[in-house]
Amino acid sequence: MINSTFFFNILRFILLVLTQVLVFNNLNFFGYINPLIYILFLYWYPVKQPRTTFLAISFLLGLCVDIFSDTVAINAAASVTGAYFRPVLMRFIFGVNYDFQSFKLRNTTKVQQFTFLLFLISIHHFTYFTLEIFSLRDSFIVLKRTLVIVPTTLLFCTLFISLFSTQKE
Amino acid sequence: MQQIINFVIRYKVFLFFIFLFAISLLLTIVSNTYQQSKFLNSANRISGNFYKVSNNTVSYFGLREENERLSEENQLLRDRLYNRTLLYKQPLDSTEKNYTLLRGKAIKNSFANQRNYITIDKGSNDSVKQDMGVITAKGILGIIENTSAQFASVQSILNEKSNINAKIKNTHHFGSLVWNTKDYSTVQLVDIPRLVPLNVGDTIVTGAMSSIFPENIPIGKIVSFDLDRSKSFYYIDVQLFNDMTNIGAIYVIDNLKKIEIRSLENETELDD
């Protein structure tokens, strides 16, 4: 278990949290658009790992972002939700391939990867904004924020993925 | 028993998920009704230092603007000093003072959330305590909520939980200053009775009711007003003097008479 992947994931964890809180929390496009790019951790995390560990790490990830951005535990809740639904999404999008032992995210098509990312971000953001506003009175704002911020996050995540892509063709 | 264990093993991932989700939900709900969590805030040592380092770098880019602001403030203060008409005795004894000020710097600011907090680089080592007021040269900023040794987090006026006593300048009609979370440059003044004459452009300042801020600290000016649902109070949109997206130098205000005021208020309440 303790190998280069392990350290690589720790490094990724720290870098993503710092990028999120020091750069992306200060973007404030049009006053309120701050993409939540730390979700990329859930996207990049190795597939065949114990799910409980994954949930625990995601919780920790969210909590770290929460502490930095004074949002109590909203990011933690959203991140755990995203982590829990990740295998479900993967089976839904990648189909039978996902059950093979040799399944790797980079072997799938671009469209599949993009759809996966889109669904992951949507689930995460919807939980996040629902909890942030936390009353049905303002359900319009939840919808508006989710609809506006999901594409922004998606854009930045796609940029990051292509930037740090390890694919050698 | 066997079945229960089997159930737990079978659904352990789901149960773990529910457990973690419930924890975060609980923390969120507790902070909804009560206040910001004591531990999960950015004023702790680790995140505070990260923000400090980051702010040390970033603040260089705003030095020109910051200088401009400070000299503007100096001008205002000198103007007041030279045009002083009332006889004013400078208290020789510090116990005669009502307020002390402590200057500091905002190292983290946010305004895009429903609940915004600002982190400043002064903490309990500088005797910053909960419920002290924080202002800038242009107007009020918020109230200290949590402190650590070197840092403190400030509940911004751009926070749906914020509620500050405010009044219309040169009158004694006071109301509460709240935020409807929609726009970071406007806050709302509520509970002003409808018989009060109002004009667009009137200045809103802090009221004398609070023991946190001194009276007459500028807040903003009225941009529009309307009657609220009960038709007996105004709902006033106030445009802030402060640019909440650009916070540099701040002052923490300590009311030295606060303890006396509080204990008197408590006594009065107990007598009722």
Side-chain angles (χ1 to χ4, degrees):
Chain A
M1 187 59 208
I2 310 246
N3 51 26
S4 66
T5 327
F6 179 74
F7 287 109
F8 194 66
N9 270 313
I10 290 185
L11 190 69
R12 187 187 279 157
F13 184 100
I14 297 170
L15 284 180
L16 275 176
V17 170
L18 289 184
T19 322
Q20 176 67 48
V21 296
L22 296 181
V23 180
F24 285 94
N25 273 2
N26 297 318
L27 273 188
N28 300 314
F29 287 139
F30 302 112
Y32 66 94
I33 303 181
N34 287 337
L36 302 162
I37 56 103
Y38 71 91
I39 184 115
L40 272 175
F41 187 83
L42 305 191
Y43 177 84
W44 274 329
Y45 193 80
V47 180
K48 302 290 177 200
Q49 298 283 344
R51 282 184 72 186
T52 38
T53 328
F54 180 46
L55 282 179
I57 295 175
S58 308
F59 181 73
L60 210 63
L61 174 79
L63 208 60
C64 283
V65 178
D66 276 324
I67 289 173
F68 274 97
S69 35
D70 291 306
T71 43
V72 194
I74 303 177
N75 280 305
S79 174
V80 160
T81 316
Y84 180 73
F85 285 106
R86 193 179 87 140
V88 183
L89 280 180
M90 284 188 138
R91 190 163 287 124
F92 174 64
I93 290 160
F94 303 121
V96 191
N97 289 337
Y98 173 69
D99 293 322
F100 292 136
Q101 203 48 245
S102 61
F103 175 78
K104 284 220 168 66
L105 197 60
R106 75 173 79 129
N107 296 336
T108 54
T109 62
K110 282 266 182 292
V111 181
Q112 283 177 326
Q113 289 175 8
F114 188 77
T115 325
F116 173 50
L117 189 63
L118 174 70
F119 276 92
L120 195 63
I121 293 175
S122 305
I123 288 180
H124 175 272
H125 281 36
F126 190 72
T127 323
Y128 179 87
F129 291 112
T130 313
L131 283 180
E132 191 190 15
I133 288 149
F134 218 78
S135 72
L136 287 171
R137 177 173 57 95
D138 289 330
S139 53
F140 178 68
I141 301 183
V142 180
L143 217 59
K144 190 183 114 191
R145 293 209 168 187
T146 316
L147 286 181
V148 175
I149 298 181
V150 164
T152 327
T153 310
L154 194 65
L155 175 75
F156 278 99
C157 285
T158 324
L159 287 179
F160 269 98
I161 288 168
S162 48
L163 194 63
F164 295 107
S165 162
T166 49
Q167 199 160 16
K168 292 179 184 74
E169 286 175 292
Chain B
M1 194 64 203
Q2 182 70 37
Q3 274 183 332
I4 295 173
I5 293 171
N6 279 343
F7 176 81
V8 170
I9 291 172
R10 187 144 175 236
Y11 291 101
K12 70 168 194 279
V13 176
F14 179 70
L15 290 173
F16 191 55
F17 162 66
I18 292 295
F19 172 68
L20 290 178
F21 194 80
I23 290 180
S24 28
L25 210 59
L26 196 72
L27 285 169
T28 315
I29 293 170
V30 166
S31 80
N32 260 352
T33 47
Y34 187 48
Q35 52 154 270
Q36 191 191 12
S37 161
K38 266 262 172 294
F39 307 102
L40 300 176
N41 66 68
S42 66
N44 65 50
R45 195 189 299 181
I46 300 168
S47 57
N49 277 314
F50 266 114
Y51 278 126
K52 199 177 173 186
V53 170
S54 128
N55 181 262
N56 276 344
T57 326
V58 176
S59 62
Y60 276 104
F61 300 109
L63 278 186
R64 191 183 295 266
E65 225 169 296
E66 196 61 42
N67 276 340
E68 196 69 31
R69 253 195 301 205
L70 292 178
S71 78
E72 234 171 64
E73 189 188 8
N74 278 345
Q75 186 198 344
L76 184 81
L77 294 177
R78 272 175 202 279
D79 192 59
R80 264 189 219 158
L81 189 71
Y82 299 146
N83 291 313
R84 209 171 41 180
T85 47
L86 290 168
L87 271 177
Y88 173 73
K89 196 174 94 233
Q90 183 75 31
L92 293 172
D93 191 349
S94 64
T95 54
E96 281 180 34
K97 286 209 298 195
N98 278 335
Y99 297 98
T100 55
L101 265 86
L102 177 74
R103 73 188 168 81
K105 213 165 65 169
I107 55 171
K108 177 240 161 187
N109 182 19
S110 79
F111 48 87
N113 300 334
Q114 309 286 301
R115 296 202 181 115
N116 295 299
Y117 293 93
I118 298 158
T119 309
I120 59 169
D121 66 344
K122 289 282 183 292
S124 51
N125 283 355
D126 313 282
S127 56
V128 172
K129 289 187 204 74
Q130 198 181 31
D131 285 343
M132 286 183 177
V134 182
I135 60 166
T136 70
K138 288 192 176 151
I140 64 165
L141 199 61
I143 296 168
I144 301 276
E145 183 139 335
N146 273 310
T147 55
S148 68
Q150 298 175 53
F151 306 100
S153 68
V154 181
Q155 186 192 73
S156 163
I157 43 171
L158 299 186
N159 187 313
E160 58 179 357
K161 288 193 286 180
S162 163
N163 191 341
I164 290 169
N165 181 258
K167 63 171 194 177
I168 297 152
K169 197 179 179 182
N170 297 330
T171 69
H172 292 287
H173 298 297
F174 60 83
S176 304
L177 198 71
V178 292
W179 187 47
N180 66 3
T181 75
K182 294 225 167 70
D183 180 6
Y184 58 77
S185 62
T186 26
V187 293
Q188 283 69 38
L189 183 63
V190 295
D191 295 344
I192 297 269
R194 71 182 286 179
L195 54 90
V196 176
L198 287 178
N199 283 310
V200 169
D202 282 356
T203 308
I204 305 295
V205 295
T206 53
M209 296 264 292
S210 104
S211 56
I212 296 172
F213 291 104
E215 205 177 348
N216 292 323
I217 292 181
I219 296 171
K221 61 174 191 223
I222 298 178
V223 280
S224 66
F225 54 87
D226 204 359
L227 288 173
D228 69 2
R229 211 171 289 162
S230 69
K231 296 286 173 208
S232 48
F233 292 101
Y234 279 119
Y235 184 84
I236 306 166
D237 277 326
V238 179
Q239 185 174 17
L240 293 169
F241 290 135
N242 250 331
D243 178 4
M244 294 300 286
T245 63
N246 186 5
I247 304 292
I250 54 107
Y251 303 95
V252 182
I253 301 180
D254 184 17
N255 186 346
L256 299 173
K257 303 279 157 66
K258 191 195 280 173
I259 299 168
E260 197 179 328
I261 297 172
R262 286 275 158 89
S263 66
L264 181 66
E265 281 174 356
N266 286 342
E267 253 172 59
T268 321
E269 270 171 33
L270 282 179
D271 286 348
D272 281 347

